[in-house]
């Protein structure tokens, strides 16, 4: 059975709705981590959405492509001067086997997968897509993010020529948040996000043959703590001792760039 495109009815509004989002931060970190890669590399932005990151990276000459489950999101991204190279694909069954050097999966895209088994399948697919020594950079939101900013909340915001109303509920028993997003009086959509623990994610990485280089609070790139709302993970496929030194350099550069 085909998976429904939950973003279909809001895809064309996605970029204005997200215009406040700091893509510059992901761009900076994604490029800082490229020092772990060979000079010529293939980059896959998994769950690229409208291709905000992919487009920026293609602009600086990267061989970047994006995949996403939502055809509507990919279509909405085909505007502007730089057209991302994209295809419809499911994180849980990626059409790549070993030809990719670098996978990014950002803006909590992995949280849109709703079971631990399927999250594990997606991480396995990242490993299958990557060459040995390849790099994976992804993020996930924490329960604190959902309970602080979404649970039981309803608000309307103005996004230029339209308004967006959000209402959200978090179910602790299933670690799943359900958010209704409505543009003006349109049909809107319901998106669901699942919170995964660090232990679940680290076990999935280890079982898929990754070596974790680090996990960080996204705001500071210091170790995650109680107040962390987003965690970023960096891992390599297989054991790559040579990567550690270059990773330390990248980490220093990222920490120096982020506000203290
Ligand atoms: C919050 S958006 C982030 C998009 C993009 N990474 C960005 O930074 O703007 C989450 C994206 O994950 C995609 N997605 C959700 N489940 C997916 C799956 N199983 N396979 C591929 N993409 C998926 C959605 O279609 C959506 O575009």
């Amino acid at each position: 059975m085909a998976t429904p495109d939950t973003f279909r009815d809001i895809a064309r509004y996605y970029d204005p709705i997200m215009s406040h989002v700091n893509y510059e931060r992901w761009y900076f970190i994604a490029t800082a981590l490229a020092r772990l890669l060979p000079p010529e590399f293939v980059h896959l932005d998994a769950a690229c959405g409208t291709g905000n990151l992919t487009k920026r990276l293609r602009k600086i000459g990267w061989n970047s492509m994006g995949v996403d489950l939502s055809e509507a999101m990919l279509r909405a991204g085909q505007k502007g001067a730089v057209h991302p190279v994209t295809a419809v694909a499911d994180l849980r069954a990626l059409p790549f086997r070993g030809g990719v050097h670098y996978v990014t999966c950002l803006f909590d895209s992995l949280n849109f997968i709703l079971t631990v088994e399927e999250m594990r399948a997606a991480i396995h697919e990242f490993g299958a897509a990557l060459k040995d020594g390849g790099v994976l950079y992804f993020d996930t939101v924490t329960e604190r993010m959902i309970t602080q900013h979404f649970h039981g909340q309803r608000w309307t915001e103005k996004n230029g020529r339209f308004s967006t109303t959000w209402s959200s509920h978090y179910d602790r028993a299933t670690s799943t948040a359900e958010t209704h997003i409505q543009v003006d009086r349109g049909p809107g959509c319901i998106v669901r996000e699942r919170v995964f623990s660090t232990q679940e994610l680290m076990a999935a990485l280890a079982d898929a043959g990754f070596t974790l280089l680090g996990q960080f609070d996204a705001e500071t790139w210091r170790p995650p703590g109680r107040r962390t709302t987003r965690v970023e993970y960096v891992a390599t496929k297989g054991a790559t001792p040579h990567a550690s030194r270059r990773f330390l350099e990248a980490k220093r550069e990222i920490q120096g760039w982020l506000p203290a």
Side-chain angles (χ1 to χ4, degrees):
M1 198 177 76
T3 312
D5 180 348
T6 44
F7 281 78
R8 192 190 61 196
D9 292 320
I10 58 152
R12 65 182 189 283
Y13 305 105
Y14 183 83
D15 285 347
I17 291 174
M18 299 304 172
S19 60
H20 64 284
V21 172
N22 187 357
Y23 280 95
E24 209 47 40
R25 202 185 59 78
W26 283 310
Y27 169 82
F28 182 87
I29 296 171
T31 51
L33 293 172
R35 71 175 74 211
L36 301 173
L37 302 169
E40 304 269 312
F41 59 86
V42 174
H43 164 241
L44 171 67
D45 192 21
C48 64
T50 55
N52 274 317
L53 180 66
T54 327
K55 286 193 238 186
R56 279 174 165 78
L57 294 171
R58 284 191 76 80
K59 247 191 209 162
I60 57 163
W62 279 30
N63 186 0
S64 291
M65 59 193 156
V67 294
D68 199 279
L69 193 59
S70 169
E71 197 180 346
M73 289 286 271
L74 297 179
R75 213 177 316 115
Q78 296 293 335
K79 55 182 194 286
V82 182
H83 286 207
V85 175
T86 56
V88 174
D90 193 321
L91 297 180
R92 297 161 292 184
L94 289 174
F96 302 101
R97 287 294 177 265
V100 176
H101 299 86
Y102 189 12
V103 172
T104 51
C105 183
L106 297 166
F107 203 178
D108 41 284
S109 297
L110 202 58
N111 293 106
F112 288 79
I113 286 177
L114 299 178
T115 67
V116 173
E117 291 67 35
E118 294 187 357
M119 173 276 287
R120 290 174 61 84
I123 287 185
H124 175 270
E125 288 295 279
F126 297 156
L130 283 168
K131 288 177 178 290
D132 279 338
V135 176
L136 171 63
Y137 166 42
F138 71 94
D139 69 354
T140 58
V141 288
T142 63
E143 190 167 71
R144 186 174 178 104
M145 163 76 99
I146 306 273
T147 51
Q148 213 169 47
H149 298 289
F150 290 91
H151 176 54
Q153 301 195 34
R154 182 188 163 89
W155 71 97
T156 299
E157 58 195 28
K158 193 94 187 103
N159 306 104
R161 275 188 274 182
F162 62 89
S163 298
T164 312
T165 301
W166 300 70
S167 54
S168 191
H169 169 78
Y170 179 62
D171 178 7
R172 278 183 201 274
T174 58
S175 305
T176 303
E178 190 171 286
T179 305
H180 185 242
I181 309 170
Q182 186 178 28
V183 172
D184 291 334
R185 289 172 190 277
C189 70
I190 293 176
V191 295
R192 294 186 180 83
E193 286 196 71
R194 163 78 191 244
V195 174
F196 298 108
S197 68
T198 301
Q199 290 74 11
E200 287 167 336
L201 290 160
M202 282 178 28
L205 286 168
D207 292 347
F210 282 100
T211 303
L212 183 69
L213 294 180
Q215 44 148 327
F216 306 99
D217 180 305
E219 297 299 317
T220 58
W221 258 57
R222 308 279 167 193
R226 242 176 0 99
R227 290 169 186 273
T228 299
T229 53
R230 181 179 298 280
V231 183
E232 300 200 330
Y233 296 82
V234 183
T236 53
K237 180 174 172 183
T240 45
H242 69 278
S244 327
R245 187 180 47 80
R246 283 188 234 148
F247 180 66
L248 279 181
E249 288 166 9
K251 186 170 114 180
R252 259 185 240 119
E253 186 187 351
I254 295 163
Q255 288 174 338
W257 182 77
L258 289 170

